[in-house]
Amino acid sequence: MMRRNVLLAGAGAAALALSGCAVGPAYVSPTPAAPGQTPFLEAGKSPAFTGEQPAGHWWSLFGDPTLDALVEEALAANTDLRVAAANLAQARAVLKESRAGRLPTTGISASGTYARQPGSVTGIGPVEGESYDVGLDIGYQVDLFGRVESAIRASRADADAVQAAFDLTRITVAAETTRAYADVCAYNRQLAVAEETLRIQEQTFDLTRRLFEGGRATRLDTGQAGALLEQTRATLPTLKAQRAGALYRLALLTGKPPAEAPQAALQCQAPPELDRPIPVGDGAALLARRPDIRRAERQLAAAAARVNVATADLYPSISIGGSVGSTADAVSGLGKSDSFRFSIGPLISWSFPNIAVARARLKQAEAGADAALATFDGTWLGALQETESALANYAGELDRLAALRRAADEAGEAARIARLRYQAGRENFQVVLDAERSLAQIQASIAQSEQQRATHLVALFLALGGGWQDGAA
């Protein structure tokens, strides 16, 4: 509560002038004072990162025309983006409605009645007859305590928050499209590795069979070789199904049915990677760039403005109204000089009996501001945590992949030597089997690590904010 009072310093009703003055707290954005705006901790631990600012359309860093086309297609046709665009249009329409509160209201009326007035009212006996009236009424609410302006500020902040949500949806769609494309490429890579492993194991199986036919191997050797071969073959249908699933995700993201999934993605044979250090910026740029932080800050601004609206309800409502028209006892008399009427004057209303309701609404608005401030704090803390974790995950996967590739070199050489020694009768087949099984596992792990590296890279770019700021692509 104390921190909210610092952020939302009370302004008070300083002057009661018809030009108007806002009552309630004045909003100050907490973003400049948010901690954690120094360079990222994990970025300084690995040469894979640089302090330069991230690129806007970061997927273009991969230099893959197919990926570029898929992302642009998704940004144009994705259904989630269409929903976000409609929500943004709705928020802007609400803002227009709030701004219209500055304008006077007008009304045109016409009536015709036949009535009887008793003598106790007229003083001259009962009067019975017709009465006709036409008129134009104009009313204007004097925004003496800033209620209308505060409502406009709240609507404007709401529209900004929805704009940030739209930007977040665009970033997410771009990231998910890149991730789905990378998965298609990764499964192609894993299929290629599995098929190469299958080819080598088929050669080993043929070798054991020839040696068995020549009396130099046992049926156990051929059975074990055949079992390992079929185990590898069994991985192919699963990988193909996973690749199809990634392709269908691409279809959904680009606004197409599965039958129209982008077949061009199947030409990719390896997950996208970068051959340069990744620009990550720092915490200050992250706070300004991430749309979820901008959305939380704008939601806080809207909540603060609603505190002003609720505060203004504690004060009188003042309006100026006027009316012109014509009243006559016959239709033919309307518009004549002696039937002309007019009125003008202020109207002051103050709802004393419901002041408790107004105070309760003020408490609700203040509680909403407290919640919005807590949400903002949680959002930027979560953003920093997410970014640091993404940096650590990506750097760790690079180290893991490098180690796996060194292991693959050693395992490949060991398998080659084991086959030669077995063929020469100097080694039993169990050594060959173990060597080839180890090599196959390491090669599969490398392909999976390449996919995980791409996944962590997309997650890192997503955590860095994607590059859309203030609604600009």
Side-chain angles (χ1 to χ4, degrees):
M1 179 69 71
M2 182 178 296
R3 181 158 179 250
R4 188 199 72 208
N5 290 337
V6 172
L7 291 171
L8 308 176
L16 301 180
L18 288 179
S19 58
C21 63
V23 293
Y27 175 71
V28 178
S29 173
T31 301
Q37 304 195 30
T38 57
F40 297 116
L41 298 175
E42 293 293 331
K45 299 179 182 180
S46 173
F49 310 115
T50 175
E52 298 176 5
Q53 295 304 314
H57 293 178
W58 51 265
W59 56 89
S60 63
L61 296 176
F62 295 117
D64 189 329
T66 300
L67 174 59
D68 293 343
L70 286 170
V71 172
E72 293 304 317
E73 188 174 355
L75 294 176
N78 184 265
T79 54
D80 289 339
L81 269 174
R82 288 166 54 193
V83 173
N87 290 339
L88 180 57
Q90 183 182 34
R92 288 173 175 170
V94 171
L95 175 57
K96 290 181 179 179
E97 179 183 356
S98 297
R99 286 173 173 165
R102 295 170 173 161
L103 304 175
T105 59
T106 59
I108 298 176
S109 61
S111 65
T113 60
Y114 184 88
R116 183 178 188 274
Q117 298 290 336
S120 59
V121 174
T122 64
I124 58 174
V127 175
E128 184 175 337
E130 300 175 356
S131 176
Y132 298 91
D133 182 83
V134 293
L136 172 65
D137 299 321
I138 300 176
Y140 176 75
Q141 182 176 351
V142 180
D143 195 21
L144 185 62
F145 301 101
R147 187 185 190 284
V148 174
E149 286 301 320
S150 297
I152 292 173
R153 287 199 303 275
S155 295
R156 184 183 299 113
D158 284 337
D160 291 342
V162 177
Q163 174 69 68
F166 176 76
D167 293 344
L168 179 60
T169 303
R170 288 202 294 179
I171 291 171
T172 303
V173 167
E176 290 304 315
T177 302
T178 304
R179 197 196 311 271
Y181 176 74
D183 285 346
V184 172
C185 300
Y187 291 128
N188 276 338
R189 170 68 173 152
Q190 292 177 42
L191 279 167
V193 169
E195 288 168 352
E196 176 61 18
T197 300
L198 193 64
R199 184 187 66 81
I200 294 173
Q201 291 175 351
E202 284 175 341
Q203 293 176 350
T204 302
F205 177 72
D206 290 340
L207 173 62
T208 59
R209 187 173 56 187
R210 290 196 304 270
L211 292 177
F212 173 72
E213 291 172 351
R216 296 175 54 192
T218 66
R219 181 67 183 83
L220 176 62
D221 294 344
T222 59
Q224 289 178 320
L228 183 60
L229 174 65
E230 293 306 320
Q231 283 179 349
T232 302
R233 199 191 308 276
T235 64
L236 298 181
T238 299
L239 291 174
K240 291 177 180 178
Q242 291 173 326
R243 181 182 62 182
L247 192 65
Y248 297 148
R249 288 207 325 269
L250 266 180
L252 174 63
L253 287 161
T254 53
K256 296 178 180 178
E260 299 178 17
Q263 300 299 309
L266 293 175
Q267 303 304 313
C268 176
Q269 297 302 313
E273 60 178 311
L274 293 180
D275 57 358
R276 71 191 82 173
I278 300 174
V280 298
D282 56 24
L286 181 74
L287 292 178
R289 185 172 55 245
R290 278 187 57 136
D292 56 340
I293 296 178
R294 288 191 284 114
R295 178 178 61 181
E297 188 277 329
R298 290 289 81 200
Q299 288 173 337
L300 175 58
R306 290 190 176 93
V307 172
N308 290 3
V309 172
T311 303
D313 286 340
L314 297 174
Y315 294 84
S317 175
I318 301 176
S319 61
I320 297 175
S323 175
V324 295
S326 178
T327 302
D329 56 6
V331 175
S332 59
L334 293 175
K336 294 182 179 180
S337 59
D338 58 351
S339 68
F340 176 73
R341 62 170 178 78
F342 74 91
S343 66
I344 186 170
L347 173 64
I348 301 177
S349 62
W350 199 344
S351 301
F352 285 103
N354 290 326
I355 197 71
V357 174
R359 292 189 181 280
R361 288 173 180 169
L362 176 58
K363 292 295 184 182
Q364 294 173 33
E366 289 174 342
D370 286 339
L373 178 58
T375 298
F376 173 81
D377 289 343
T379 300
W380 68 256
L381 283 173
L384 292 175
Q385 177 272 327
E386 182 181 343
T387 303
E388 293 285 7
S389 298
L391 289 166
N393 289 337
Y394 179 72
E397 198 62 44
L398 289 181
D399 293 341
R400 175 173 179 262
L401 182 55
L404 284 171
R405 286 172 173 167
R406 292 192 297 270
D409 292 339
E410 297 295 335
E413 182 64 12
R416 184 186 69 83
I417 294 173
R419 281 194 299 270
L420 291 175
R421 290 175 63 84
Y422 172 71
Q423 190 172 3
R426 299 173 60 186
E427 197 68 79
N428 64 58
F429 183 68
Q430 189 62 45
V431 173
V432 177
L433 195 67
D434 290 342
E436 291 196 346
R437 182 183 291 113
S438 177
L439 177 60
Q441 290 173 346
I442 293 173
Q443 292 286 10
S445 294
I446 288 176
Q448 292 168 359
S449 179
E450 290 173 345
Q451 180 179 19
Q452 197 62 41
R453 177 194 60 192
T455 298
H456 287 323
L457 184 54
V458 172
L460 174 57
F461 280 122
L462 183 58
L464 291 173
W468 281 292
Q469 299 182 45
D470 299 328

mmCIF file of all heavy atoms in Angstrom, residues 191-209:
data_model
loop_
_atom_site.group_PDB
_atom_site.id
_atom_site.type_symbol
_atom_site.label_atom_id
_atom_site.label_comp_id
_atom_site.label_asym_id
_atom_site.label_seq_id
_atom_site.Cartn_x
_atom_site.Cartn_y
_atom_site.Cartn_z
ATOM 1 N N LEU A 191 15.599 -38.509 -39.190
ATOM 2 C CA LEU A 191 15.314 -39.590 -40.142
ATOM 3 C C LEU A 191 16.552 -39.933 -40.961
ATOM 4 O O LEU A 191 16.849 -41.114 -41.198
ATOM 5 C CB LEU A 191 14.162 -39.184 -41.064
ATOM 6 C CG LEU A 191 12.753 -39.355 -40.491
ATOM 7 C CD1 LEU A 191 11.735 -38.627 -41.357
ATOM 8 C CD2 LEU A 191 12.394 -40.842 -40.383
ATOM 9 N N ALA A 192 17.284 -38.911 -41.390
ATOM 10 C CA ALA A 192 18.494 -39.148 -42.163
ATOM 11 C C ALA A 192 19.530 -39.902 -41.328
ATOM 12 O O ALA A 192 20.205 -40.824 -41.822
ATOM 13 C CB ALA A 192 19.074 -37.827 -42.666
ATOM 14 N N VAL A 193 19.672 -39.523 -40.064
ATOM 15 C CA VAL A 193 20.611 -40.211 -39.171
ATOM 16 C C VAL A 193 20.180 -41.656 -38.967
ATOM 17 O O VAL A 193 21.009 -42.585 -39.008
ATOM 18 C CB VAL A 193 20.704 -39.469 -37.822
ATOM 19 C CG1 VAL A 193 21.446 -40.307 -36.790
ATOM 20 C CG2 VAL A 193 21.399 -38.131 -38.001
ATOM 21 N N ALA A 194 18.876 -41.868 -38.722
ATOM 22 C CA ALA A 194 18.374 -43.229 -38.514
ATOM 23 C C ALA A 194 18.568 -44.082 -39.762
ATOM 24 O O ALA A 194 18.937 -45.267 -39.666
ATOM 25 C CB ALA A 194 16.898 -43.188 -38.125
ATOM 26 N N GLU A 195 18.350 -43.500 -40.925
ATOM 27 C CA GLU A 195 18.520 -44.261 -42.173
ATOM 28 C C GLU A 195 19.991 -44.578 -42.426
ATOM 29 O O GLU A 195 20.320 -45.672 -42.923
ATOM 30 C CB GLU A 195 17.927 -43.467 -43.338
ATOM 31 C CG GLU A 195 16.392 -43.430 -43.303
ATOM 32 C CD GLU A 195 15.804 -42.432 -44.266
ATOM 33 O OE1 GLU A 195 16.590 -41.654 -44.862
ATOM 34 O OE2 GLU A 195 14.572 -42.402 -44.419
ATOM 35 N N GLU A 196 20.896 -43.677 -42.084
ATOM 36 C CA GLU A 196 22.323 -43.963 -42.227
ATOM 37 C C GLU A 196 22.751 -45.039 -41.233
ATOM 38 O O GLU A 196 23.527 -45.947 -41.574
ATOM 39 C CB GLU A 196 23.139 -42.688 -42.003
ATOM 40 C CG GLU A 196 24.636 -42.873 -42.039
ATOM 41 C CD GLU A 196 25.159 -43.393 -43.368
ATOM 42 O OE1 GLU A 196 24.438 -43.310 -44.389
ATOM 43 O OE2 GLU A 196 26.311 -43.881 -43.398
ATOM 44 N N THR A 197 22.253 -44.957 -40.018
ATOM 45 C CA THR A 197 22.534 -45.997 -39.031
ATOM 46 C C THR A 197 21.993 -47.330 -39.500
ATOM 47 O O THR A 197 22.647 -48.385 -39.358
ATOM 48 C CB THR A 197 21.907 -45.624 -37.672
ATOM 49 O OG1 THR A 197 22.455 -44.378 -37.225
ATOM 50 C CG2 THR A 197 22.173 -46.694 -36.630
ATOM 51 N N LEU A 198 20.806 -47.299 -40.086
ATOM 52 C CA LEU A 198 20.200 -48.518 -40.616
ATOM 53 C C LEU A 198 21.068 -49.117 -41.715
ATOM 54 O O LEU A 198 21.256 -50.341 -41.779
ATOM 55 C CB LEU A 198 18.803 -48.187 -41.144
ATOM 56 C CG LEU A 198 17.876 -49.360 -41.469
ATOM 57 C CD1 LEU A 198 17.542 -50.144 -40.219
ATOM 58 C CD2 LEU A 198 16.593 -48.848 -42.124
ATOM 59 N N ARG A 199 21.611 -48.264 -42.562
ATOM 60 C CA ARG A 199 22.477 -48.761 -43.652
ATOM 61 C C ARG A 199 23.719 -49.460 -43.100
ATOM 62 O O ARG A 199 24.096 -50.544 -43.556
ATOM 63 C CB ARG A 199 22.892 -47.591 -44.540
ATOM 64 C CG ARG A 199 23.706 -47.984 -45.763
ATOM 65 C CD ARG A 199 24.228 -46.755 -46.497
ATOM 66 N NE ARG A 199 25.198 -46.038 -45.681
ATOM 67 C CZ ARG A 199 26.486 -46.398 -45.573
ATOM 68 N NH1 ARG A 199 26.931 -47.464 -46.198
ATOM 69 N NH2 ARG A 199 27.302 -45.683 -44.822
ATOM 70 N N ILE A 200 24.336 -48.860 -42.071
ATOM 71 C CA ILE A 200 25.529 -49.457 -41.478
ATOM 72 C C ILE A 200 25.189 -50.771 -40.790
ATOM 73 O O ILE A 200 25.920 -51.786 -40.923
ATOM 74 C CB ILE A 200 26.172 -48.475 -40.478
ATOM 75 C CG1 ILE A 200 26.694 -47.246 -41.210
ATOM 76 C CG2 ILE A 200 27.292 -49.148 -39.690
ATOM 77 C CD1 ILE A 200 27.187 -46.154 -40.308
ATOM 78 N N GLN A 201 24.080 -50.802 -40.083
ATOM 79 C CA GLN A 201 23.696 -52.025 -39.380
ATOM 80 C C GLN A 201 23.280 -53.128 -40.354
ATOM 81 O O GLN A 201 23.445 -54.311 -40.059
ATOM 82 C CB GLN A 201 22.570 -51.704 -38.392
ATOM 83 C CG GLN A 201 23.041 -50.843 -37.219
ATOM 84 C CD GLN A 201 21.919 -50.413 -36.303
ATOM 85 O OE1 GLN A 201 20.739 -50.617 -36.617
ATOM 86 N NE2 GLN A 201 22.272 -49.820 -35.175
ATOM 87 N N GLU A 202 22.731 -52.747 -41.503
ATOM 88 C CA GLU A 202 22.431 -53.748 -42.533
ATOM 89 C C GLU A 202 23.721 -54.384 -43.049
ATOM 90 O O GLU A 202 23.775 -55.604 -43.304
ATOM 91 C CB GLU A 202 21.656 -53.107 -43.676
ATOM 92 C CG GLU A 202 20.189 -52.841 -43.354
ATOM 93 C CD GLU A 202 19.473 -52.101 -44.466
ATOM 94 O OE1 GLU A 202 20.177 -51.485 -45.304
ATOM 95 O OE2 GLU A 202 18.227 -52.113 -44.483
ATOM 96 N N GLN A 203 24.765 -53.575 -43.212
ATOM 97 C CA GLN A 203 26.056 -54.114 -43.631
ATOM 98 C C GLN A 203 26.612 -55.084 -42.595
ATOM 99 O O GLN A 203 27.147 -56.146 -42.938
ATOM 100 C CB GLN A 203 27.049 -52.975 -43.868
ATOM 101 C CG GLN A 203 26.715 -52.092 -45.050
ATOM 102 C CD GLN A 203 27.676 -50.917 -45.189
ATOM 103 O OE1 GLN A 203 28.482 -50.655 -44.298
ATOM 104 N NE2 GLN A 203 27.584 -50.212 -46.307
ATOM 105 N N THR A 204 26.458 -54.702 -41.311
ATOM 106 C CA THR A 204 26.928 -55.590 -40.243
ATOM 107 C C THR A 204 26.131 -56.889 -40.225
ATOM 108 O O THR A 204 26.692 -57.986 -40.060
ATOM 109 C CB THR A 204 26.805 -54.878 -38.879
ATOM 110 O OG1 THR A 204 27.567 -53.674 -38.906
ATOM 111 C CG2 THR A 204 27.320 -55.768 -37.756
ATOM 112 N N PHE A 205 24.808 -56.781 -40.415
ATOM 113 C CA PHE A 205 23.981 -57.984 -40.448
ATOM 114 C C PHE A 205 24.370 -58.886 -41.610
ATOM 115 O O PHE A 205 24.467 -60.124 -41.463
ATOM 116 C CB PHE A 205 22.506 -57.580 -40.549
ATOM 117 C CG PHE A 205 21.576 -58.742 -40.670
ATOM 118 C CD1 PHE A 205 21.322 -59.567 -39.587
ATOM 119 C CD2 PHE A 205 20.937 -59.035 -41.876
ATOM 120 C CE1 PHE A 205 20.451 -60.651 -39.697
ATOM 121 C CE2 PHE A 205 20.075 -60.098 -41.998
ATOM 122 C CZ PHE A 205 19.833 -60.913 -40.896
ATOM 123 N N ASP A 206 24.605 -58.281 -42.782
ATOM 124 C CA ASP A 206 25.046 -59.080 -43.932
ATOM 125 C C ASP A 206 26.382 -59.749 -43.653
ATOM 126 O O ASP A 206 26.623 -60.911 -44.064
ATOM 127 C CB ASP A 206 25.152 -58.196 -45.178
ATOM 128 C CG ASP A 206 23.799 -57.748 -45.695
ATOM 129 O OD1 ASP A 206 22.794 -58.410 -45.342
ATOM 130 O OD2 ASP A 206 23.737 -56.741 -46.424
ATOM 131 N N LEU A 207 27.282 -59.047 -42.950
ATOM 132 C CA LEU A 207 28.582 -59.624 -42.622
ATOM 133 C C LEU A 207 28.419 -60.825 -41.711
ATOM 134 O O LEU A 207 29.028 -61.896 -41.948
ATOM 135 C CB LEU A 207 29.458 -58.564 -41.956
ATOM 136 C CG LEU A 207 30.796 -59.040 -41.385
ATOM 137 C CD1 LEU A 207 31.678 -59.595 -42.515
ATOM 138 C CD2 LEU A 207 31.494 -57.916 -40.630
ATOM 139 N N THR A 208 27.603 -60.701 -40.671
ATOM 140 C CA THR A 208 27.413 -61.829 -39.747
ATOM 141 C C THR A 208 26.757 -63.014 -40.458
ATOM 142 O O THR A 208 27.085 -64.176 -40.178
ATOM 143 C CB THR A 208 26.556 -61.409 -38.553
ATOM 144 O OG1 THR A 208 25.277 -60.952 -39.012
ATOM 145 C CG2 THR A 208 27.232 -60.306 -37.757
ATOM 146 N N ARG A 209 25.855 -62.706 -41.382
ATOM 147 C CA ARG A 209 25.196 -63.805 -42.094
ATOM 148 C C ARG A 209 26.178 -64.549 -42.987
ATOM 149 O O ARG A 209 26.181 -65.788 -43.046
ATOM 150 C CB ARG A 209 24.044 -63.245 -42.923
ATOM 151 C CG ARG A 209 23.167 -64.316 -43.571
ATOM 152 C CD ARG A 209 21.966 -63.688 -44.232
ATOM 153 N NE ARG A 209 22.380 -62.667 -45.210
ATOM 154 C CZ ARG A 209 21.517 -61.871 -45.832
ATOM 155 N NH1 ARG A 209 20.221 -61.950 -45.542
ATOM 156 N NH2 ARG A 209 21.956 -60.973 -46.696
#
